[in-house]
Amino acid sequence: MKYDHIMVRFGELSTKGKNKKEFIRVLARNIRNALSSFSTLEYIVRLDHIYIKLNDNNPDEIIGILQGISGIHALSLVLKTDDEISNVKKVSLELIKMESGNTFKVHSKRANKKYPIISDQINREVAGDILRNTNLKVDVHNPDILLSIEMREDGCYIFTKTYKGAGGYPLGVGGKIMHMLSGGIDSPVAAYLLMKRGLRIECIHFASPPYTNIGVIEKLKDILAKLNTYQESIRLNIIPFTKIQEKIYEVADESYAITLMRRMMFRLASELAKRRNCLACSSGESVGQVASQTLESINVINAVTNLPILRPVVTYDKIDIIELARKIDTYDISIRPYEDCCTIFTPKNPKTKPSLEKVLEYEAKYDFDSLIKEALDNIEIIYSKL
Ligand code: ATP
Ligand code: MG
């Protein structure tokens, strides 16, 4: 017997009231896009589930792809039959025979309230039939096999196998965010977490040739190719940052270089965010990790923008970030050696408690606005596509 449908469950989406219809529409579109290479699949989109009719496609690869799509809470491989109870019993028996275990429980749900037999009665009929025809025993508390039966208006769905989905919200329902992507471990993980919450990302990277080598761009492309699993097309804006950095080192004490540099980064990111209709920026900052990530530093750095800056990994331990980086397969790319604009200019004693007055004094020594404008006029755009 072959599974004929995959049932897609929304989980958290169910609580979203009037936005629900829009969320389901976006999720259905994301699913169709991700599975576009399987041309014979059919989609049945309902307010409570999405069903994918397999039409003989092998479900394994499809399940794997679906598990990467945010907004999906769980997936089940199901067998569909009409709601005639004798057929429900027959299919249930065949399905449970394919499973291994000694105990079982039947859990049925009568979503179609017009169906004449109540759930308890369905449970009893099906379980009785299984008891008569197999050696399995009932265990209602901790069964080896949970056989679920859902009576719906268009028929009956029966399943035993459920797979965990990525959770979160469908990509795109939350709007777009300008994400600062370095070549490090943290920012790809932060990007993944944002996408998982339904935000579409556009990326910005500050490049400092010749101090940073060209390899970093290849690295970013490889990282984005991994992130394409969650967003099929990502725009990467490469900002020429060398002149700004050199100027910072000219006007300011070395201990303030990082603070100034990050203020320039935030100015550039905010300006580009506004131009591209992003309502916020984001980064892979984690509080306390480095000098620029103390509350005092974040305060002085943040003062340059009135856009919200989202920092999804702000409270994460490095070890937890690494675990997620491994999960999304960016870790091995991120640890490739490279020269980041931050690492190359890292001062020996960066200020952990920079003073805003001092910062403003340094910034007043040069017309940084014109350098910012020049950088924004010379963006190189790269698209990463699935
Ligand atoms: P990551 O592992 O993401 O590089 P990190 O722990 O090395 O983070 P920093 O180098 O201080 O920390 O950078 C903090 C955040 O600032 C990064 O996560 C990223 O969002 C942003 N950032 C740093 N350098 C760049 C860069 N060259 N281009 C774009 N964003 C950057
Ligand atoms: Mg870094």
Side-chain angles (χ1 to χ4, degrees), residues 19-52:
N19 292 331
K20 194 169 160 182
K21 266 196 179 145
E22 172 64 6
F23 281 23
I24 294 168
R25 191 188 65 75
V26 175
L27 179 61
R29 186 197 62 199
N30 294 349
I31 291 175
R32 280 196 173 95
N33 281 345
L35 297 176
S36 60
S37 60
F38 300 87
S39 58
T40 54
L41 296 176
E42 283 174 64
Y43 301 89
I44 304 128
V45 181
R46 295 270 159 72
L47 269 178
D48 42 10
H49 300 308
I50 293 173
Y51 297 97
I52 303 172

Side-chain angles (χ1 to χ4, degrees), residues 179-188 204-207 262 265-266 282-286 289-290 292-293 318 338 340-342:
H179 184 62
M180 295 184 246
L181 187 73
S182 68
I185 297 167
D186 306 342
S187 44
I204 183 168
H205 178 78
F206 307 97
R262 297 198 65 80
M265 284 184 178
F266 276 44
S282 51
S283 80
E285 285 164 295
S286 159
Q289 240 188 41
V290 291
S292 66
Q293 297 173 3
K318 194 77 184 185
Y338 80 112
D340 182 43
C341 64
C342 294

